Amino acid sequence: MRIAVGLEGSANKLGVGIILHPSHDTPTDPPSPHDSAHSDDGAFHPHSKQHISPPVQILANLRHTFVSPPGTGFLPKDTAAHHRRWVVRLVRQAMKQAKVRLEDIDCICYTKGPGMGAPLGSVAIAARTLSQLWDKPLIGVNHCVGHIEMGRAITGAENPVVLYVSGGNTQVIAYSAQRYRIFGEALDIAVGNCLDRFARVLHISNDPAPGYNIEQLAKTGNVLLELPYAVKGMDVSFSGILARVEEMAKKLEASNGSWLDPETNTTPITKSDLCFTLQETVFAMLVEITERAMAHVGAAQVLIVGGVGCNERLQQMMGIMAEERGGSVYATDERFCIDNGIMIAHAGLLAHKMGFETQLEDSTFTQRFRTDEVLVNWRD
Amino acid sequence: MTEPIPLSPSAHDRLPIPFNTSPEPLVLIAQGAESLLYKTVFLSLSQPAALKIRPVKKWRHPTLDKRLTRARILAEARVLVKLSGEGIAAGGGGRKVKDPKREGEGVGGMRGLVPAVLGLDWEGGWLVTEWIEGGTIKEAIYRGSRARTMGGSRVGLSGDDGVEELRGLLRKMGEVVGKLHACGVVHGDLTTSNMMLRPLTTIPDKSFESDGHDETSPQPSVAASASMQPQPTTTPNDSLSGDLVLIDFGLATQSVSDEDRAVDLYVLERAFGSTHPREEELFACVLHAYAHGEGSGMKGKPGKTVIRKLEDVRMRGRKKSMLGRVDVFIGKCEGCQHGPLLAAFRQHLLITEILVGHHYHWPAMA
């Protein structure tokens, strides 16, 4: 049985999680917990669910978000200050909730990257401190891999194509030969970033998250205006769409109700219509590149991870697409979609069990950390 | 390519007009993310055709779906028409007969090297093009590759293991892509599965009305005014000879920028390398022919400029690298002695190599 503490702070969410990986039960006690090819009766069952993640136990999963006023985004300096203010409190609370003793903890995991520099730095310092204070090994974790591994563990998906969509990242990923290969991605800004910046122009509240409020507004919108659709092969581009939709937002503010739906010429365009237009367009683009990757790789299942993955409309669209291909979509709820500490603990522990450790002098952080750089040696 | 699957009765109902009442059964050739490809006949039983259907995507908003389908079908058709030289842009309006020396430029420069458009319906979501006989270049290379690995059971014309023939094919590839770029079109999805090897001749079929021509295409119907095939000559049936025809222009754009052309070559390079790893090192023939081949529209300075741009594109690729520590040196690759290297950048947590077409083997990297 192994227990890990995970600290996450690559953006405005500070997460602390404590996870437990139960030890394998079979009498043969195989070297790798993934060796499900050998079962109790001693017979060899090749490929029996070799891709499925083993069970995990969540002992604590706490998060505190730094919310900036409407019309603004969160700046690195303020976000880092927020993380520094909250980390001790959250760690204490998590330890109390998990009821673990110091000697049970195997390692301290933290987000090495990618993300925003200053916030990552605050969390790295906290992790190093805990590691030295409690004399535990440090594990630097890739944020994207954390999302993927948590998604796999929670949903039990076998070997899906992963759509990782958040404020900082937009990638279509498939697993191959011990790496999470990136098949398609956003060429300029992430889809979540596009949504967040659009929210600012319309002064949509950032509490609990701008994307969440856009989603609620979009539910009452029904006019689809024309936005540029930028899918380039397996990649997508959002800066053109953002420029156009920001223009529309300014037009809406200036028009004072005089901007009418071009189809009917009677009903005025509302904030909800803009939210609806933006969502339908960008989500269609995401589903399209995911479908291309699925066709290329021959997969039928999709796993959506990352903050934007909480969006129910996106989940719905992806579900229809997956069904048409004879597959299904897997998604998690806001506990795991949105940045959290437990995913860092989980991915970190998986790596630690394979012998990985980050030395103190290497316990840096970085704003750019490609998903395919990580050797996923806990899978075969 | 997937095995052709005859259509099931229920699927037949979903076909657009006029194919839902087709006398000939439609044979499904391929099913991509974007479209379904069928072999069928069009307007006449003796005219085989490729039918590309873009089905409605229910997960998209219907307005968006219609808009996209229409735009994509029209874009593809426009590019093919421009390349084949059909329509007003080409021969109508009293223009002079094209100077054969400038054959590779502009409109009509790819006649015979791309499928002709036979018909389309953007509301119905389909596009019909000329059926290209033969197999894909991918299959042709696989055949040669297998023959070579099995000890050259099939000996090439020059008595070697077929490598010279393969080089010839790759040179043809470079020239055809050069012609395409010179016409102001960028394919967008160059792979060896999107290139056909159309045999120059088939054994003359006695059942054809023979009027003394060596025509390999069936009697053209009114709509098929563009089945232009080069005057065929009878050659022995070599597996690597024939016309190299480009297909699937669904992602094509009209562009003359060096960047777009370089990316087009880069896509082909990567696709070639991952599909034909054993022949990967021969890919240089393609690039050489692109910039120096007699038949390439990009011969000379234009082609060389694009190749230089390609080196930049290679460096970018998927590695969105940041500035970091730079180790610059000139010498041989220590891992495999392939040389000379121009320079290598070592970046924080990321290794990026620049060398014309080679991966540097960093010693002792995990």
Side-chain angles (χ1 to χ4, degrees), chain B residues 54 67-90 106-110 114-122 126-129 180 183-186 249-255:
Chain B
R54 287 182 181 269
R67 204 186 287 154
L68 282 172
T69 303
R70 178 173 184 272
R72 287 172 180 178
I73 290 183
L74 284 176
E76 186 170 357
R78 280 191 193 113
V79 158
L80 285 174
V81 163
K82 176 180 182 179
L83 292 173
S84 295
E86 295 309 300
I88 303 224
V107 174
M110 296 286 288
V114 298
V117 175
L118 300 178
L120 63 88
D121 177 2
W122 67 72
W126 55 263
L127 170 72
V128 173
T129 53
L180 178 72
C183 289
V185 173
V186 158
F249 282 74
L251 292 174
T253 50
Q254 301 200 22
S255 165

Short mmCIF file of all heavy atoms in Angstrom, two decimals, chain B residues 54 67-90 106-110 114-122 126-129 180 183-186 249-255:
data_model
loop_
_atom_site.label_atom_id
_atom_site.label_comp_id
_atom_site.label_asym_id
_atom_site.label_seq_id
_atom_site.Cartn_x
_atom_site.Cartn_y
_atom_site.Cartn_z
N ARG B 54 -19.89 13.49 -47.95
CA ARG B 54 -19.63 14.06 -46.63
C ARG B 54 -20.94 13.97 -45.85
O ARG B 54 -21.84 14.78 -46.05
CB ARG B 54 -19.20 15.52 -46.77
CG ARG B 54 -17.79 15.66 -47.30
CD ARG B 54 -17.37 17.11 -47.38
NE ARG B 54 -16.04 17.25 -47.92
CZ ARG B 54 -14.93 17.28 -47.19
NH1 ARG B 54 -15.01 17.18 -45.89
NH2 ARG B 54 -13.76 17.40 -47.77
N ARG B 67 -22.90 24.74 -43.63
CA ARG B 67 -21.93 25.74 -44.08
C ARG B 67 -20.59 25.07 -44.38
O ARG B 67 -19.97 25.32 -45.42
CB ARG B 67 -21.75 26.79 -42.98
CG ARG B 67 -21.27 28.13 -43.45
CD ARG B 67 -20.98 29.02 -42.26
NE ARG B 67 -22.16 29.51 -41.56
CZ ARG B 67 -22.18 29.87 -40.28
NH1 ARG B 67 -21.09 29.78 -39.55
NH2 ARG B 67 -23.29 30.32 -39.72
N LEU B 68 -20.13 24.23 -43.46
CA LEU B 68 -18.83 23.58 -43.61
C LEU B 68 -18.82 22.61 -44.79
O LEU B 68 -17.88 22.60 -45.59
CB LEU B 68 -18.47 22.82 -42.34
CG LEU B 68 -17.96 23.67 -41.19
CD1 LEU B 68 -17.82 22.81 -39.95
CD2 LEU B 68 -16.62 24.29 -41.54
N THR B 69 -19.86 21.78 -44.87
CA THR B 69 -19.92 20.79 -45.95
C THR B 69 -19.87 21.48 -47.30
O THR B 69 -19.10 21.10 -48.18
CB THR B 69 -21.22 19.96 -45.83
OG1 THR B 69 -21.24 19.36 -44.55
CG2 THR B 69 -21.28 18.89 -46.89
N ARG B 70 -20.68 22.53 -47.43
CA ARG B 70 -20.71 23.26 -48.69
C ARG B 70 -19.33 23.84 -49.00
O ARG B 70 -18.80 23.65 -50.11
CB ARG B 70 -21.74 24.38 -48.59
CG ARG B 70 -21.85 25.24 -49.81
CD ARG B 70 -23.03 26.21 -49.64
NE ARG B 70 -23.23 26.99 -50.84
CZ ARG B 70 -22.63 28.14 -51.10
NH1 ARG B 70 -21.81 28.64 -50.22
NH2 ARG B 70 -22.86 28.77 -52.23
N ALA B 71 -18.74 24.50 -48.04
CA ALA B 71 -17.44 25.14 -48.26
C ALA B 71 -16.38 24.11 -48.65
O ALA B 71 -15.58 24.35 -49.56
CB ALA B 71 -17.01 25.89 -47.01
N ARG B 72 -16.39 22.97 -47.99
CA ARG B 72 -15.36 21.98 -48.25
C ARG B 72 -15.52 21.30 -49.60
O ARG B 72 -14.54 21.07 -50.31
CB ARG B 72 -15.32 20.95 -47.13
CG ARG B 72 -14.71 21.57 -45.90
CD ARG B 72 -14.79 20.71 -44.69
NE ARG B 72 -14.17 21.41 -43.58
CZ ARG B 72 -14.10 20.97 -42.35
NH1 ARG B 72 -14.60 19.80 -42.05
NH2 ARG B 72 -13.53 21.69 -41.40
N ILE B 73 -16.77 20.99 -49.96
CA ILE B 73 -16.98 20.35 -51.27
C ILE B 73 -16.59 21.31 -52.38
O ILE B 73 -15.88 20.94 -53.33
CB ILE B 73 -18.45 19.91 -51.43
CG1 ILE B 73 -18.71 18.73 -50.51
CG2 ILE B 73 -18.75 19.56 -52.87
CD1 ILE B 73 -20.09 18.16 -50.62
N LEU B 74 -17.03 22.55 -52.24
CA LEU B 74 -16.71 23.52 -53.29
C LEU B 74 -15.20 23.78 -53.38
O LEU B 74 -14.65 23.88 -54.47
CB LEU B 74 -17.46 24.83 -53.03
CG LEU B 74 -18.94 24.77 -53.38
CD1 LEU B 74 -19.61 26.08 -53.01
CD2 LEU B 74 -19.14 24.48 -54.85
N ALA B 75 -14.56 23.88 -52.23
CA ALA B 75 -13.11 24.14 -52.23
C ALA B 75 -12.37 23.02 -52.96
O ALA B 75 -11.50 23.27 -53.79
CB ALA B 75 -12.59 24.30 -50.81
N GLU B 76 -12.75 21.79 -52.64
CA GLU B 76 -12.09 20.66 -53.28
C GLU B 76 -12.34 20.66 -54.78
O GLU B 76 -11.42 20.47 -55.58
CB GLU B 76 -12.60 19.35 -52.65
CG GLU B 76 -11.87 18.13 -53.15
CD GLU B 76 -12.20 16.87 -52.35
OE1 GLU B 76 -12.97 16.97 -51.37
OE2 GLU B 76 -11.69 15.81 -52.72
N ALA B 77 -13.59 20.89 -55.14
CA ALA B 77 -13.92 20.87 -56.57
C ALA B 77 -13.20 22.00 -57.31
O ALA B 77 -12.68 21.79 -58.41
CB ALA B 77 -15.43 21.00 -56.75
N ARG B 78 -13.16 23.16 -56.70
CA ARG B 78 -12.50 24.30 -57.36
C ARG B 78 -11.03 24.00 -57.64
O ARG B 78 -10.51 24.31 -58.70
CB ARG B 78 -12.59 25.55 -56.49
CG ARG B 78 -13.90 26.25 -56.57
CD ARG B 78 -13.83 27.62 -55.91
NE ARG B 78 -15.17 28.12 -55.73
CZ ARG B 78 -15.77 28.31 -54.56
NH1 ARG B 78 -15.12 28.07 -53.46
NH2 ARG B 78 -17.01 28.75 -54.50
N VAL B 79 -10.38 23.41 -56.64
CA VAL B 79 -8.97 23.09 -56.81
C VAL B 79 -8.78 22.08 -57.94
O VAL B 79 -7.91 22.24 -58.80
CB VAL B 79 -8.39 22.55 -55.48
CG1 VAL B 79 -7.14 21.74 -55.71
CG2 VAL B 79 -8.12 23.68 -54.53
N LEU B 80 -9.62 21.05 -57.97
CA LEU B 80 -9.48 20.03 -59.02
C LEU B 80 -9.76 20.61 -60.40
O LEU B 80 -9.08 20.29 -61.38
CB LEU B 80 -10.43 18.86 -58.74
CG LEU B 80 -10.01 17.93 -57.61
CD1 LEU B 80 -11.10 16.90 -57.34
CD2 LEU B 80 -8.71 17.23 -57.94
N VAL B 81 -10.75 21.46 -60.47
CA VAL B 81 -11.08 22.06 -61.76
C VAL B 81 -9.95 22.96 -62.24
O VAL B 81 -9.58 22.95 -63.41
CB VAL B 81 -12.41 22.84 -61.65
CG1 VAL B 81 -12.58 23.80 -62.80
CG2 VAL B 81 -13.57 21.88 -61.60
N LYS B 82 -9.39 23.69 -61.31
CA LYS B 82 -8.27 24.56 -61.68
C LYS B 82 -7.10 23.73 -62.20
O LYS B 82 -6.47 24.07 -63.20
CB LYS B 82 -7.85 25.37 -60.46
CG LYS B 82 -6.62 26.24 -60.71
CD LYS B 82 -6.26 27.01 -59.46
CE LYS B 82 -5.05 27.90 -59.75
NZ LYS B 82 -4.65 28.69 -58.60
N LEU B 83 -6.83 22.63 -61.51
CA LEU B 83 -5.69 21.82 -61.89
C LEU B 83 -5.92 21.06 -63.19
O LEU B 83 -5.00 20.88 -63.98
CB LEU B 83 -5.36 20.82 -60.77
CG LEU B 83 -4.84 21.45 -59.48
CD1 LEU B 83 -4.72 20.39 -58.40
CD2 LEU B 83 -3.50 22.12 -59.71
N SER B 84 -7.15 20.62 -63.41
CA SER B 84 -7.44 19.86 -64.63
C SER B 84 -7.62 20.77 -65.82
O SER B 84 -7.59 20.31 -66.95
CB SER B 84 -8.72 19.05 -64.47
OG SER B 84 -8.56 18.09 -63.49
N GLY B 85 -7.83 22.05 -65.55
CA GLY B 85 -7.99 22.97 -66.66
C GLY B 85 -9.36 22.95 -67.27
O GLY B 85 -9.52 23.21 -68.46
N GLU B 86 -10.37 22.64 -66.49
CA GLU B 86 -11.74 22.69 -67.01
C GLU B 86 -12.30 24.08 -66.84
O GLU B 86 -11.79 24.90 -66.13
CB GLU B 86 -12.62 21.70 -66.25
CG GLU B 86 -12.21 20.27 -66.46
CD GLU B 86 -12.06 19.93 -67.91
OE1 GLU B 86 -13.04 20.04 -68.64
OE2 GLU B 86 -10.94 19.57 -68.32
N GLY B 87 -13.38 24.35 -67.44
CA GLY B 87 -14.12 25.57 -67.16
C GLY B 87 -13.53 26.79 -67.85
O GLY B 87 -12.57 26.73 -68.59
N ILE B 88 -14.12 27.91 -67.57
CA ILE B 88 -13.80 29.15 -68.26
C ILE B 88 -12.37 29.57 -68.00
O ILE B 88 -11.71 30.12 -68.86
CB ILE B 88 -14.77 30.26 -67.80
CG1 ILE B 88 -16.20 29.80 -68.07
CG2 ILE B 88 -14.40 31.57 -68.45
CD1 ILE B 88 -17.08 30.81 -68.66
N ALA B 89 -11.91 29.31 -66.81
CA ALA B 89 -10.55 29.74 -66.45
C ALA B 89 -9.52 29.20 -67.41
O ALA B 89 -8.49 29.79 -67.64
CB ALA B 89 -10.24 29.30 -65.03
N ALA B 90 -9.81 28.03 -67.98
CA ALA B 90 -8.80 27.37 -68.81
C ALA B 90 -8.86 27.81 -70.26
O ALA B 90 -8.24 28.76 -70.68
CB ALA B 90 -8.97 25.87 -68.71
N GLY B 106 0.23 27.29 -63.69
CA GLY B 106 -1.15 27.78 -63.68
C GLY B 106 -2.19 26.75 -63.99
O GLY B 106 -2.07 25.57 -63.69
N VAL B 107 -3.21 27.23 -64.62
CA VAL B 107 -4.41 26.41 -64.80
C VAL B 107 -4.17 25.28 -65.79
O VAL B 107 -3.57 25.46 -66.83
CB VAL B 107 -5.54 27.32 -65.32
CG1 VAL B 107 -6.76 26.49 -65.65
CG2 VAL B 107 -5.87 28.36 -64.27
N GLY B 108 -4.64 24.14 -65.44
CA GLY B 108 -4.58 23.00 -66.35
C GLY B 108 -3.25 22.27 -66.32
O GLY B 108 -3.05 21.29 -67.03
N GLY B 109 -2.34 22.72 -65.48
CA GLY B 109 -1.01 22.13 -65.47
C GLY B 109 -0.97 20.71 -64.97
O GLY B 109 0.01 20.01 -65.17
N MET B 110 -2.01 20.28 -64.30
CA MET B 110 -1.98 18.94 -63.72
C MET B 110 -2.95 18.02 -64.43
O MET B 110 -3.38 17.01 -63.88
CB MET B 110 -2.35 19.00 -62.24
CG MET B 110 -1.39 19.75 -61.39
SD MET B 110 0.13 18.84 -61.09
CE MET B 110 -0.40 17.58 -59.98
N VAL B 114 -4.42 14.55 -61.86
CA VAL B 114 -5.40 14.58 -60.78
C VAL B 114 -6.73 14.10 -61.37
O VAL B 114 -6.92 14.19 -62.57
CB VAL B 114 -5.59 16.00 -60.19
CG1 VAL B 114 -4.30 16.51 -59.57
CG2 VAL B 114 -6.12 16.97 -61.23
N PRO B 115 -7.63 13.59 -60.53
CA PRO B 115 -8.91 13.13 -61.07
C PRO B 115 -9.73 14.31 -61.57
O PRO B 115 -9.68 15.39 -60.99
CB PRO B 115 -9.60 12.47 -59.88
CG PRO B 115 -8.64 12.47 -58.77
CD PRO B 115 -7.53 13.39 -59.08
N ALA B 116 -10.48 14.09 -62.62
CA ALA B 116 -11.36 15.14 -63.12
C ALA B 116 -12.64 15.15 -62.32
O ALA B 116 -13.09 14.12 -61.83
CB ALA B 116 -11.66 14.87 -64.59
N VAL B 117 -13.23 16.32 -62.20
CA VAL B 117 -14.52 16.43 -61.50
C VAL B 117 -15.62 16.07 -62.47
O VAL B 117 -15.66 16.57 -63.59
CB VAL B 117 -14.73 17.86 -60.97
CG1 VAL B 117 -16.11 18.00 -60.36
CG2 VAL B 117 -13.66 18.22 -59.96
N LEU B 118 -16.52 15.19 -62.03
CA LEU B 118 -17.62 14.79 -62.90
C LEU B 118 -18.92 15.46 -62.48
O LEU B 118 -19.77 15.75 -63.31
CB LEU B 118 -17.78 13.27 -62.90
CG LEU B 118 -16.54 12.50 -63.38
CD1 LEU B 118 -16.78 11.00 -63.29
CD2 LEU B 118 -16.20 12.88 -64.81
N GLY B 119 -19.08 15.68 -61.19
CA GLY B 119 -20.31 16.32 -60.74
C GLY B 119 -20.28 16.51 -59.24
O GLY B 119 -19.46 15.92 -58.55
N LEU B 120 -21.16 17.36 -58.75
CA LEU B 120 -21.24 17.54 -57.30
C LEU B 120 -22.59 18.12 -56.89
O LEU B 120 -23.32 18.65 -57.74
CB LEU B 120 -20.10 18.44 -56.79
CG LEU B 120 -20.05 19.89 -57.27
CD1 LEU B 120 -20.87 20.82 -56.40
CD2 LEU B 120 -18.61 20.37 -57.26
N ASP B 121 -22.89 18.01 -55.61
CA ASP B 121 -24.10 18.64 -55.07
C ASP B 121 -23.76 19.08 -53.65
O ASP B 121 -23.62 18.25 -52.77
CB ASP B 121 -25.26 17.63 -55.06
CG ASP B 121 -26.52 18.24 -54.44
OD1 ASP B 121 -26.52 19.43 -54.06
OD2 ASP B 121 -27.52 17.50 -54.32
N TRP B 122 -23.60 20.39 -53.45
CA TRP B 122 -23.16 20.80 -52.11
C TRP B 122 -24.28 20.71 -51.08
O TRP B 122 -24.02 20.61 -49.90
CB TRP B 122 -22.53 22.20 -52.13
CG TRP B 122 -23.46 23.33 -52.44
CD1 TRP B 122 -24.42 23.85 -51.65
CD2 TRP B 122 -23.48 24.10 -53.65
NE1 TRP B 122 -25.05 24.88 -52.27
CE2 TRP B 122 -24.49 25.06 -53.51
CE3 TRP B 122 -22.74 24.06 -54.83
CZ2 TRP B 122 -24.79 25.98 -54.51
CZ3 TRP B 122 -23.03 24.98 -55.83
CH2 TRP B 122 -24.05 25.93 -55.66
N TRP B 126 -22.12 15.70 -51.73
CA TRP B 126 -21.29 14.72 -52.43
C TRP B 126 -20.54 15.34 -53.60
O TRP B 126 -20.90 16.36 -54.16
CB TRP B 126 -22.11 13.52 -52.91
CG TRP B 126 -23.31 13.80 -53.77
CD1 TRP B 126 -24.60 13.90 -53.35
CD2 TRP B 126 -23.34 13.98 -55.19
NE1 TRP B 126 -25.44 14.13 -54.41
CE2 TRP B 126 -24.71 14.19 -55.56
CE3 TRP B 126 -22.37 13.98 -56.20
CZ2 TRP B 126 -25.10 14.40 -56.87
CZ3 TRP B 126 -22.78 14.19 -57.52
CH2 TRP B 126 -24.13 14.41 -57.84
N LEU B 127 -19.46 14.64 -53.94
CA LEU B 127 -18.59 15.06 -55.05
C LEU B 127 -18.18 13.81 -55.80
O LEU B 127 -17.75 12.83 -55.19
CB LEU B 127 -17.34 15.76 -54.49
CG LEU B 127 -16.21 16.08 -55.46
CD1 LEU B 127 -16.59 17.20 -56.38
CD2 LEU B 127 -14.97 16.48 -54.69
N VAL B 128 -18.34 13.84 -57.12
CA VAL B 128 -17.97 12.66 -57.92
C VAL B 128 -16.79 13.01 -58.81
O VAL B 128 -16.82 14.02 -59.52
CB VAL B 128 -19.15 12.19 -58.80
CG1 VAL B 128 -18.69 11.08 -59.73
CG2 VAL B 128 -20.28 11.68 -57.94
N THR B 129 -15.76 12.19 -58.75
CA THR B 129 -14.60 12.42 -59.61
C THR B 129 -14.29 11.16 -60.42
O THR B 129 -14.79 10.08 -60.14
CB THR B 129 -13.35 12.77 -58.79
OG1 THR B 129 -13.16 11.76 -57.80
CG2 THR B 129 -13.48 14.11 -58.12
N LEU B 180 2.46 20.50 -58.90
CA LEU B 180 1.29 20.92 -58.14
C LEU B 180 1.51 22.28 -57.50
O LEU B 180 0.67 23.18 -57.60
CB LEU B 180 0.99 19.88 -57.05
CG LEU B 180 -0.17 20.20 -56.13
CD1 LEU B 180 -1.49 20.04 -56.86
CD2 LEU B 180 -0.16 19.29 -54.90
N CYS B 183 1.38 25.18 -59.73
CA CYS B 183 0.03 25.57 -60.14
C CYS B 183 -0.66 26.40 -59.07
O CYS B 183 -1.82 26.76 -59.21
CB CYS B 183 -0.83 24.32 -60.41
SG CYS B 183 -0.35 23.46 -61.89
N GLY B 184 0.04 26.64 -57.98
CA GLY B 184 -0.55 27.48 -56.94
C GLY B 184 -1.47 26.71 -56.00
O GLY B 184 -2.37 27.29 -55.40
N VAL B 185 -1.23 25.41 -55.89
CA VAL B 185 -2.07 24.60 -55.00
C VAL B 185 -1.18 23.86 -54.02
O VAL B 185 -0.10 23.38 -54.37
CB VAL B 185 -2.91 23.59 -55.80
CG1 VAL B 185 -3.66 22.64 -54.87
CG2 VAL B 185 -3.89 24.32 -56.70
N VAL B 186 -1.66 23.76 -52.79
CA VAL B 186 -0.96 23.00 -51.77
C VAL B 186 -1.92 21.88 -51.33
O VAL B 186 -3.08 22.15 -51.03
CB VAL B 186 -0.59 23.94 -50.60
CG1 VAL B 186 -0.38 23.18 -49.32
CG2 VAL B 186 0.65 24.72 -50.95
N PHE B 249 -8.22 15.73 -52.46
CA PHE B 249 -7.88 17.12 -52.28
C PHE B 249 -8.77 17.80 -51.25
O PHE B 249 -8.97 19.01 -51.29
CB PHE B 249 -7.95 17.86 -53.63
CG PHE B 249 -6.75 17.59 -54.49
CD1 PHE B 249 -6.59 16.37 -55.13
CD2 PHE B 249 -5.77 18.55 -54.64
CE1 PHE B 249 -5.47 16.11 -55.90
CE2 PHE B 249 -4.64 18.31 -55.42
CZ PHE B 249 -4.49 17.09 -56.05
N GLY B 250 -9.29 17.01 -50.31
CA GLY B 250 -10.20 17.54 -49.30
C GLY B 250 -9.59 18.58 -48.38
O GLY B 250 -10.29 19.37 -47.78
N LEU B 251 -8.26 18.57 -48.25
CA LEU B 251 -7.62 19.56 -47.38
C LEU B 251 -6.78 20.54 -48.18
O LEU B 251 -5.97 21.27 -47.63
CB LEU B 251 -6.73 18.84 -46.35
CG LEU B 251 -7.47 18.02 -45.31
CD1 LEU B 251 -6.49 17.25 -44.44
CD2 LEU B 251 -8.32 18.90 -44.42
N ALA B 252 -6.97 20.54 -49.50
CA ALA B 252 -6.13 21.37 -50.35
C ALA B 252 -6.50 22.84 -50.25
O ALA B 252 -7.65 23.18 -50.01
CB ALA B 252 -6.25 20.90 -51.80
N THR B 253 -5.51 23.69 -50.41
CA THR B 253 -5.76 25.12 -50.43
C THR B 253 -5.00 25.73 -51.61
O THR B 253 -4.03 25.15 -52.09
CB THR B 253 -5.26 25.82 -49.15
OG1 THR B 253 -3.91 25.41 -48.91
CG2 THR B 253 -6.10 25.48 -47.95
N GLN B 254 -5.45 26.89 -52.04
CA GLN B 254 -4.76 27.58 -53.12
C GLN B 254 -3.79 28.55 -52.47
O GLN B 254 -4.18 29.50 -51.81
CB GLN B 254 -5.76 28.31 -54.02
CG GLN B 254 -6.77 27.33 -54.60
CD GLN B 254 -7.47 27.87 -55.83
OE1 GLN B 254 -6.98 28.75 -56.50
NE2 GLN B 254 -8.64 27.31 -56.12
N SER B 255 -2.53 28.23 -52.61
CA SER B 255 -1.52 29.07 -51.94
C SER B 255 -0.23 29.04 -52.73
O SER B 255 0.09 28.04 -53.37
CB SER B 255 -1.28 28.52 -50.54
OG SER B 255 -0.11 29.06 -49.99
#
